[in-house]
């Protein structure tokens, strides 16, 4: 482990032969494990189709969705041995997840060329985008406590309101299984990384619960690049009488991290502390077989402190603190008048509050201090109709009215349809929708660049796709064409009197269009392949002349990205995969850039293996050994401009369930 830890990206060419030899031995061990049968016969994999709820609020199979939907299952997560949420989203078509350097570096989700503020992130259906930044940083979100992740691409504001311009990502917590079960996991690897987790769960008599805790520590690859994360995820449900059920969810994360690179350059002293807490409750009542009512409430709190203290080698210093609170109340009802029709009607109230305090010091100039404290309110009314004709044809119709205290009123519709052709095993689908994003509290009220007259950003979204699931085979092929027209984008305007750094304005427009494709095929009982690919063509309107002279593409979006995977299952106990992940170049701002520059493309090979068995005659229900080797070819590359990514690294772990 220590051998991997001491080699920085810029030092790889001068690495000692002993290190390289040890790396080759580790790779050979990994490959032999990946291909070994371990004394058991190969078992034919079964392609089970997951059920989703985020796209329509109804539990349905992925093949019965008119929108583009992807699901990361619990089995997928276990295979990948993920450290954080971003690790399980990398292979989804249309989704860009890029980390600033090592574990714990800032990491946001962008879908189909949209900004990270155009992606609505939810925990069990409760939104967690920050009222201050408008986005949700997933760099401190582990996935140990989640059963699956559902990703719906395209404008979804008709269902979920603000921020759902390019798509929705919903993390759904694990549920307890019948009886009682306890488990623990421990992993260690490169860069002195230590990862641990534990859980307890149970179910019975109409109740279930799952409580999980996890931790992560890593030194990173640069000075001041360490991460220390502690998290808790809990969920539970219980029957109350014959017609009622109550659901609870709680999430808590506590992170402390060094910031090795910032706008001052390499920084040996900058630190970040962040705490998030979500508590949510939902009550459901079955009035009759066809009428259901639910009431839910949640509160999400964020406490962020970024400190850039004085240092003799650096110019200036700053201290930045953010405290936000999002309070939500939702009431909705559903009516299933017939097997064909399900109607939803609901109301939602959200209060966002943010307090931003910042001090910037640049001696001998006087200190620059900002203090922003404000609240906004949003009331929403939504109507949705789901029509299903003999399970082969489906139509989704929806509309939502959002009335915001600062941004006015917006109405967003959605229409989507699918049809299954059983004779040729093909499903055709298409969708149209409008989405919007309310300006954040900082964008409205920040004294340096805020503009109280800002209007919401909007998008018009179209898509058409096809899915091919040939009967009698273990194969799935899907492809989708999409087009998004962004309007009223919020951008920094030129300097003016009273705003020497410029003022935010609704001046921008942009488009993104492209193709998403994905295929999985098990062509042998023990060997399969998976391919995902996204082509995204983007363009901007009304960009500043200085940026337009460099590129007219949307910043931070690669034109091409994809993954080709070899899937191995030589025995019922052993599952493995080797991924080749490719990403083309993109233009974006680096940490000290005044103008955007080019971040080169990259290609990275990763390998994963999991060996699990149930000991005979023991109290232990299951044992599992896991191995993850990333950047197998030890490439120098960056996911975000100016932030080097780790070289070859590994994580070896063990899991016990009793």
């Amino acid at each position: 482990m220590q051998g991997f830890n001491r080699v920085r990206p810029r030092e790889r060419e001068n690495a000692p032969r002993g290190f390289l030899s040890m790396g080759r031995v580790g790779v050979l061990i990994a490959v032999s494990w990946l291909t070994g049968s371990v004394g058991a016969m190969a078992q034919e994999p079964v392609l089970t189709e997951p059920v989703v709820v985020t796209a329509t609020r109804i539990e349905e199979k992925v093949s019965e969705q008119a929108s583009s939907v992807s699901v990361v299952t619990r089995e997928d997560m276990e295979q990948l041995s993920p450290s954080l949420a971003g690790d399980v989203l990398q292979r989804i078509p249309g989704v860009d997840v890029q980390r600033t350097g090592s574990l714990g570096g800032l990491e946001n989700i962008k879908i189909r060329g949209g900004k990270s503020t155009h992606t609505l992130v939810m925990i069990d259906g409760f939104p967690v985008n920050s009222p201050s930044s408008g986005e949700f940083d997933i760099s401190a979100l582990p996935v140990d406590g989640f059963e699956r992740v559902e990703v719906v691409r395209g404008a979804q504001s008709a269902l979920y309101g603000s921020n759902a311009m390019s798509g929705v990502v919903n993390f759904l917590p694990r549920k307890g299984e019948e009886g009682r079960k306890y488990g623990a996991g421990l992993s260690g690897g490169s860069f002195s990384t230590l990862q641990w987790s534990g859980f307890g769960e149970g179910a019975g008599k109409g109740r279930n619960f799952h409580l999980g805790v996890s931790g992560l520590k890593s030194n990173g690859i640069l000075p001041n690049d360490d991460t220390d994360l502690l998290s808790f995820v809990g969920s539970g449900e219980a029957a109350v009488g014959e017609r009622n059920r109550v659901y609870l969810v709680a999430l808590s994360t506590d992170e402390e991290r060094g910031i090795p690179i910032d706008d001052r350059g390499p920084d040996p002293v900058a630190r970040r502390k962040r705490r998030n807490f979500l508590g949510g409750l939902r009550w459901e009542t079955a009035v009759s077989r066809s009428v259901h009512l639910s009431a839910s409430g949640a509160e999400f709190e964020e406490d962020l402190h970024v400190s850039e203290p004085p240092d003799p080698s650096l110019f200036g210093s700053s201290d930045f603190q953010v405290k936000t609170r999002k309070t939500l109340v939702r009431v909705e009802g559903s009516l299933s008048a017939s097997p064909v029709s399900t109607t939803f009607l609901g109301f939602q109230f959200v209060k966002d509050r943010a307090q931003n305090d910042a001090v910037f010091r640049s001696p001998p100039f006087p200190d620059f201090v900002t203090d922003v404290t404000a609240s906004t309110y949003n009331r929403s009314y939504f109507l949705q109709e789901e029509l299903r004709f003999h399970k082969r044809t489906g139509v989704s119709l929806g509309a939502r009215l959002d009335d915001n205290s600062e941004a006015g009123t917006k109405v967003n519709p959605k229409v989507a349809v699918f049809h299954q052709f059983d004779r040729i095993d093909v499903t055709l689908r298409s969708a149209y929708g409008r989405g919007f994003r309310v300006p954040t509290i900082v964008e409205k009220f920040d004294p340096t660049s805020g503009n109280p007259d800002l209007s919401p950003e909007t998008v018009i979204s179209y898509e058409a796709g096809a899915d091919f699931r040939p009967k009698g085979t273990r194969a799935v092929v899907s492809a989708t064409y999409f087009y998004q027209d962004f309007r009223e984008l919020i951008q920094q305007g030129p300097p003016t009197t009273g705003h020497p750094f410029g003022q935010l304005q609704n001046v921008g427009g942009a488009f993104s269009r492209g193709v998403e494709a994905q295929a999985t095929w098990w062509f042998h009982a023990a060997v399969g392949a998976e391919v995902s690919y996204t082509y995204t063509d983007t363009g901007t309107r009304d960009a500043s002349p200085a940026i337009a002279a460099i590129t007219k593409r949307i910043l931070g979006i690669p034109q091409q990205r994809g993954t080709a995977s070899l899937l191995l299952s030589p025995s019922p106990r052993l599952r493995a995969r080797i991924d080749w992940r490719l990403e083309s170049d993109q233009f974006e701002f680096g940490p000290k850039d005044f103008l955007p520059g080019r971040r080169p493309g990259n290609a990275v090979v990763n390998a994963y293996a999991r060996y699990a068995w149930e000991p005979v005659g023991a109290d232990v229900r299951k044992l599992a050994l896991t191995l993850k080797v990333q950047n197998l070819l030890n490439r120098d590359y960056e996911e975000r401009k100016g932030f080097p990514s780790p070289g070859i690294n590994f994580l070896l772990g063990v899991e016990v369930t009793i």
Side-chain angles (χ1 to χ4, degrees):
M1 293 184 211
Q2 297 298 318
F4 284 104
N5 186 40
R6 297 182 182 276
V7 179
R8 313 289 187 202
R10 63 176 64 100
E11 299 169 352
R12 291 178 202 155
E13 294 182 359
N14 300 321
R17 292 185 177 272
F19 166 78
L20 295 176
S21 299
M22 185 178 68
R24 293 190 183 98
V25 171
V27 171
L28 289 174
I29 293 174
V31 171
S32 65
W33 189 11
L34 291 173
T35 57
S37 63
V38 202
M41 297 297 292
Q43 179 174 326
E44 200 167 287
V46 178
L47 289 180
T48 57
E49 190 176 356
V51 172
V52 297
V53 297
T54 307
T56 62
R57 295 193 176 97
I58 301 175
E59 290 190 353
E60 294 180 310
K61 296 178 181 179
V62 171
S63 62
E64 298 170 353
Q65 305 295 321
S67 299
S68 296
V69 180
S70 296
V71 180
V72 182
T73 65
R74 186 67 207 165
E75 186 179 26
D76 296 330
M77 298 181 202
E78 291 176 345
Q79 171 68 65
L80 298 172
S81 301
S83 298
L84 296 168
D87 297 333
V88 304
L89 300 175
Q90 291 280 3
R91 296 154 194 80
I92 298 177
V95 177
D96 290 301
V97 180
Q98 299 171 333
R99 183 176 292 159
T100 55
S102 306
L103 280 175
L106 293 177
E107 195 169 16
N108 297 305
I109 307 170
K110 293 175 285 187
I111 298 177
R112 289 183 172 175
K115 300 188 295 185
S116 56
T117 53
H118 298 166
T119 300
L120 178 65
V121 180
M122 302 191 297
I123 307 294
D124 200 24
F126 297 113
V128 291
N129 288 52
S130 169
S132 175
S133 67
E135 58 192 5
F136 181 71
D137 177 13
I138 60 173
S139 66
L141 182 65
V143 292
D144 300 275
F146 296 105
E147 182 65 26
R148 67 185 189 273
V149 185
E150 299 180 0
V151 180
V152 185
R153 300 183 289 281
Q156 306 296 325
S157 289
L159 273 70
Y160 296 108
S162 181
N163 295 97
M165 291 177 62
S166 293
V168 175
V169 180
N170 192 9
F171 293 86
L172 296 165
R174 296 171 68 175
K175 294 184 177 181
E177 298 181 357
E178 194 69 26
R180 291 288 186 269
K181 185 186 295 185
Y182 307 92
L186 180 66
S187 303
S190 307
F191 319 122
S192 299
T193 299
L194 178 65
Q195 187 174 316
W196 60 269
S197 63
F199 74 87
E201 65 176 37
K205 296 183 179 180
R207 295 171 292 181
N208 76 73
F209 74 93
H210 178 94
L211 303 174
V213 62
S214 63
L216 171 66
K217 288 189 176 184
S218 182
N219 285 346
I221 62 174
L222 299 171
N224 192 36
D225 198 14
D226 59 293
T227 292
D228 191 348
L229 173 65
L230 178 66
S231 68
F232 166 81
V233 178
S235 67
E237 63 180 278
V240 182
E242 296 182 356
R243 295 178 176 269
N244 307 296
R245 292 194 72 82
V246 60
Y247 300 81
L248 298 169
V249 62
L251 167 71
S252 175
T253 62
D254 194 335
E255 177 202 31
E256 181 172 357
R257 171 168 170 76
I259 305 176
I261 301 173
D262 54 26
D263 55 2
R264 301 193 295 181
D267 197 322
V269 292
R271 307 292 295 179
R272 181 178 81 228
K273 293 183 179 180
R274 181 169 55 147
R275 293 177 180 174
N276 291 340
F277 174 78
L278 169 71
L281 179 146
R282 183 170 67 254
W283 183 285
E284 295 183 356
T285 298
V287 179
S288 67
R289 295 184 61 182
S290 59
V291 178
H292 294 78
L293 300 176
S294 70
S296 55
E299 186 162 286
F300 175 68
E301 296 181 351
E302 174 190 33
D303 191 340
L304 172 67
H305 182 200
V306 178
S307 174
E308 298 178 353
D311 185 86
S313 64
L314 301 172
F315 175 75
S317 62
S318 66
D319 193 82
F320 182 66
Q321 296 188 59
V322 177
K323 293 184 178 181
T324 70
R325 176 178 296 173
K326 182 187 294 288
T327 304
L328 176 145
V329 177
R330 182 192 301 139
V331 179
E332 68 179 64
S334 66
L335 169 65
S336 300
S338 71
V340 173
S341 170
T342 302
T343 305
F344 293 89
L345 180 66
F347 167 78
Q348 179 175 290
F349 172 82
V350 176
K351 178 183 177 181
D352 285 338
R353 177 177 173 82
Q355 178 181 347
N356 286 34
D357 300 317
V359 179
F360 302 91
R361 299 183 175 91
S362 302
F365 304 102
D367 293 352
F368 183 76
V369 180
T370 64
D371 181 2
V372 178
T373 301
S375 299
T376 62
Y377 306 86
N378 196 86
R379 297 172 178 86
S380 307
Y381 307 86
F382 56 88
L383 174 66
Q384 178 186 343
E385 177 69 22
E386 295 295 329
L387 302 172
R388 297 295 181 268
F389 305 99
H390 306 294
K391 286 294 184 179
R392 289 198 300 268
T393 302
V395 178
S396 298
L397 304 171
R400 180 179 177 120
L401 184 148
D402 285 87
D403 183 18
N404 187 268
S405 59
E406 298 295 333
T409 302
K410 281 290 181 182
V411 177
N412 292 278
K414 179 182 178 181
V415 179
V417 61
F418 75 88
H419 180 73
Q420 298 175 348
F421 297 87
D422 288 346
R423 292 185 179 181
I424 57 176
D425 304 323
V426 169
T427 300
L428 298 182
R429 48 186 167 76
S430 63
Y432 159 83
R434 286 211 306 255
F436 80 109
R437 180 182 76 86
V438 172
T440 68
I441 290 174
V442 172
E443 290 171 333
K444 280 275 191 176
F445 303 112
D446 182 77
T448 59
S449 61
N451 184 348
D453 297 323
L454 287 174
S455 299
E457 296 181 324
T458 63
V459 68
I460 297 177
S461 173
Y462 306 87
E463 69 174 72
D467 305 314
F468 180 46
R469 300 171 180 270
K471 294 183 179 66
T473 68
R474 291 156 291 160
V476 179
V477 181
S478 65
T480 304
Y481 171 81
F482 64 87
Y483 180 87
Q484 299 195 127
D485 184 8
F486 300 99
R487 302 174 183 180
E488 298 293 324
L489 292 182
I490 298 172
Q491 296 181 357
Q492 195 85 6
T496 61
T497 303
H499 295 279
F501 301 104
Q503 186 179 30
L504 293 173
Q505 301 176 1
N506 290 105
V507 298
F511 72 87
S512 67
R513 60 191 175 194
V515 176
E516 303 163 348
Q518 189 169 29
T520 302
W521 179 29
W522 283 90
F523 45 83
H524 183 273
V527 184
E530 182 179 276
V531 178
S532 68
Y533 173 76
T534 304
Y535 173 80
T536 308
D537 179 33
T538 64
T540 59
R541 300 184 294 270
D542 305 315
S544 70
I547 294 178
I550 298 172
T551 180
K552 293 185 178 180
R553 289 155 54 180
I554 296 178
L555 299 181
I557 303 297
Q559 196 169 62
Q560 300 185 70
R561 67 189 314 270
T563 303
S565 304
L566 176 64
L567 311 177
L568 303 170
S569 183
S571 79
R573 297 179 176 181
L574 177 62
R575 297 180 64 240
R577 64 184 295 154
I578 301 175
D579 293 347
W580 179 57
R581 186 160 56 89
L582 175 70
E583 193 169 89
S584 65
D585 68 342
Q586 66 185 39
F587 289 86
E588 62 177 332
F589 286 94
K592 295 189 67 176
D593 292 344
F594 291 98
L595 289 173
R598 176 178 174 270
R599 186 227 65 183
N602 59 77
V604 181
V605 177
N606 302 322
Y608 310 85
R610 177 182 176 86
Y611 182 75
W613 73 100
E614 300 176 1
V616 178
D619 293 333
V620 176
R621 296 189 182 188
K622 181 182 289 187
L623 286 172
L625 300 176
T626 61
L627 174 65
K628 174 171 65 175
V629 183
Q630 295 182 299
N631 197 0
L632 197 61
L633 303 181
N634 203 33
R635 300 295 191 189
D636 287 311
Y637 75 103
E638 298 175 346
E639 292 188 20
R640 297 293 303 275
K641 187 174 183 292
F643 299 92
S645 295
I648 183 172
N649 62 93
F650 75 94
L651 192 70
L652 181 64
V654 59
E655 300 171 6
V656 181
T657 303
I658 59 175

